[in-house]
Amino acid sequence: MNDFDYMKLALELAKKGCGFVSPNPMVGAVIVKDGRMIGSGYHEKYGSYHAERNALASCTESPAGATMYVTLEPCCHHGKQPPCVDAILEAGISRVVVGCGDPNPLVAGKGINILRKNGVLVTEHVLEEECRKLNEVFFHFIQTKHPYVVMKYAMTLDGKIATYTGASKWITSETARAHVHTQRHRYRAIMAGVGTVLADNPLLTCRMEGGRNPIRIICDTRLRTPLDSQIVQTAREVPTILATGCEEKENHLPFEKAGCQILVVPQENGHLNLSILMQLLGEQGIDSVLLEGGATLNWSALQSGIVQKVQAYIAPKLFGGEQAKSPIGGLGFPTPSDGVLLKNVTVQPLKTTKNDVSVTFSNSAQITETDLLTDFFIEGEVDNHVHRNH
């Protein structure tokens, strides 16, 4: 095995921390001595030991003279845990292979410099792109102090999120809906509009086995969320934020008594200023938001420039109907060239039958051997350079 193979193992370990370590990054570490892996570990939970210390603690023999493979530059500052570079030096590790640097200003190359100054051989940029991709949320949050926002919706092949009567249960299969819960576990918060609460009375929780419930954020300009809604009734069990433009404190009291946090946000054109809302959420340490809004909130989010990624679950169904809603409402963009572009788009089939489905990627992103009972999960990043021009 070579450096790339061991870094792949470290990446797989790092992924185990998904949903449990935010706002920290997911990090994995592997220790190799004389061609044998003698220790491994990952950052398991926010506030607990980092990957490097867990890997060292797991060693089956002395790590002196060994090589450590770590997906992110070791920290060199005191936070909830002491610096990992200290543990590496104390253990006598002779070489450290790093996937990518840490953009945290408290680290940002300092950890690597300390190791080198103390005689440790450091190799950088091994599977760097994969390591950066793993922590796209952390990289965004640590540099902007705003949450990484993912707009998610489910629609039919003709672009409908409901029938003309408003019925929307269910567009996608159980397989696709189960996949949604992995995303609710993955991101720190989930955000919806009051319209969704009034129409569906959802829980907005994670029902994945062993998953973590996201913080629930309801955009409710005029504070219309019903006190008997599931959101309010379960606010003491699941952290819940009502973002509102209503400043009358007496109107806040019933919700606060039920366990909700009221977050007053300035308005813009009769709606919440979502950019300011993201700033306020970032100040609370919320590093990511899964936006499960309706057409109106989705359009507002795109207009405000807060969206970093779009996730679309596409079902092999046709609803039709001029009055049937699409995922994004509002006025829309006037010309095709004005539209929001997505980059780094991926397509994943979510199989619902035993039939094989294969997807091949090329310049035309051709999909072959499609199964008409298969939903597709499409994910792409918003091209901020284009979007900023709007």
Side-chain angles (χ1 to χ4, degrees):
M1 294 179 67
N2 56 31
D3 286 353
F4 295 98
D5 296 322
Y6 287 119
M7 188 61 74
K8 286 178 182 177
L9 292 177
L11 275 167
E12 290 305 310
L13 285 170
K15 292 175 184 177
K16 293 183 177 182
C18 179
F20 300 111
V21 301
S22 65
N24 281 353
M26 291 176 276
V27 184
V30 169
I31 299 174
V32 178
K33 188 173 184 179
D34 298 328
R36 295 173 290 106
M37 189 168 72
I38 64 170
S40 64
Y42 66 98
H43 185 29
E44 300 175 9
K45 186 179 179 181
Y46 177 70
S48 67
Y49 281 140
H50 291 180
E52 297 92 329
R53 290 183 178 271
N54 280 332
L56 289 168
S58 75
C59 283
T60 55
E61 60 183 87
S62 171
T67 296
M68 174 181 285
Y69 296 85
V70 60
T71 56
L72 189 70
E73 176 183 2
C75 66
C76 55
H77 64 289
H78 283 270
K80 290 187 176 295
Q81 295 295 332
C84 288
V85 291
D86 291 355
I88 292 171
L89 294 173
E90 290 168 5
I93 295 289
S94 62
R95 179 178 178 237
V96 175
V97 180
V98 177
C100 64
D102 188 340
N104 186 340
L106 297 174
V107 186
K110 300 182 185 72
I112 289 173
N113 287 338
I114 290 173
L115 293 174
R116 283 179 171 150
K117 286 180 180 179
N118 283 273
V120 178
L121 177 64
V122 179
T123 301
E124 300 179 67
H125 314 303
V126 175
L127 296 184
E128 181 175 23
E129 184 177 346
E130 291 88 339
C131 291
R132 289 179 62 88
K133 180 69 175 175
L134 176 68
N135 281 309
E136 60 188 3
V137 167
F138 172 74
F139 275 58
H140 174 83
F141 182 67
I142 201 69
Q143 294 177 93
T144 67
K145 307 301 181 187
H146 286 192
Y148 186 93
V149 178
V150 179
M151 177 191 294
K152 167 263 169 185
Y153 54 82
M155 70 178 188
T156 61
L157 204 56
D158 58 341
K160 305 298 184 181
I161 60 173
T163 64
Y164 75 92
T165 65
S168 61
K169 293 184 179 179
W170 295 103
I171 293 175
T172 54
S173 64
E174 290 185 12
T175 303
R177 298 199 298 275
H179 189 272
V180 169
H181 288 282
T182 68
Q183 303 305 295
R184 290 184 179 183
H185 166 75
R186 175 181 179 184
Y187 298 110
R188 190 65 192 94
I190 185 171
M191 187 165 79
V194 66
T196 297
V197 176
L198 293 173
D200 301 332
N201 191 24
L203 270 173
L204 299 179
T205 53
C206 173
R207 293 185 283 281
M208 181 185 85
E209 185 177 353
R212 179 182 68 171
N213 282 324
I215 298 169
R216 301 178 301 193
I217 303 162
I218 306 300
C219 293
D220 186 357
T221 306
R222 296 185 295 279
L223 207 55
R224 296 184 294 143
T225 299
L227 286 170
D228 62 353
S229 65
Q230 292 194 94
I231 291 287
V232 176
Q233 291 298 309
T234 58
R236 294 200 180 279
E237 290 77 49
V238 183
T240 303
I241 298 173
L242 299 184
T244 182
C246 175
E247 299 184 21
E248 290 75 18
K249 293 191 179 297
E250 60 270 22
N251 293 339
H252 299 174
L253 291 176
F255 296 99
E256 292 174 333
K257 186 177 180 181
C260 298
Q261 176 191 348
I262 300 294
L263 193 60
V264 178
V265 181
Q267 296 184 52
E268 186 176 45
N269 299 322
H271 299 284
L272 299 181
N273 186 314
L274 296 181
S275 296
I276 294 179
L277 174 57
M278 292 305 108
Q279 177 185 332
L280 296 173
L281 296 177
E283 290 172 358
Q284 296 193 25
I286 296 175
D287 67 349
S288 53
V289 173
L290 182 64
L291 175 59
E292 291 197 17
T296 301
L297 183 56
N298 285 346
W299 170 248
S300 297
L302 283 178
Q303 271 195 313
S304 64
I306 67 169
V307 179
Q308 279 71 53
K309 179 178 284 188
V310 176
Q311 294 181 341
Y313 294 83
I314 301 180
K317 298 177 182 178
L318 302 174
F319 283 175
E322 292 182 359
Q323 302 303 315
K325 290 184 178 181
S326 63
I328 301 170
L331 179 62
F333 297 112
T335 68
S337 62
D338 290 320
V340 175
L341 298 182
L342 302 182
K343 60 183 181 181
N344 300 327
V345 176
T346 60
V347 182
Q348 175 185 346
L350 301 174
K351 291 186 287 186
T352 58
T353 71
K354 295 180 181 180
N355 295 340
D356 291 333
V357 176
S358 63
V359 177
T360 59
F361 297 96
S362 63
N363 289 337
S364 60
Q366 181 182 4
I367 300 172
T368 62
E369 299 178 30
T370 54
D371 178 347
L372 289 180
L373 294 180
T374 297
D375 296 325
F376 286 92
F377 175 62
I378 301 179
E379 185 176 63
E381 300 169 17
V382 171
D383 190 334
N384 289 318
H385 296 294
V386 173
H387 184 66
R388 239 181 247 120
N389 294 333
H390 296 318

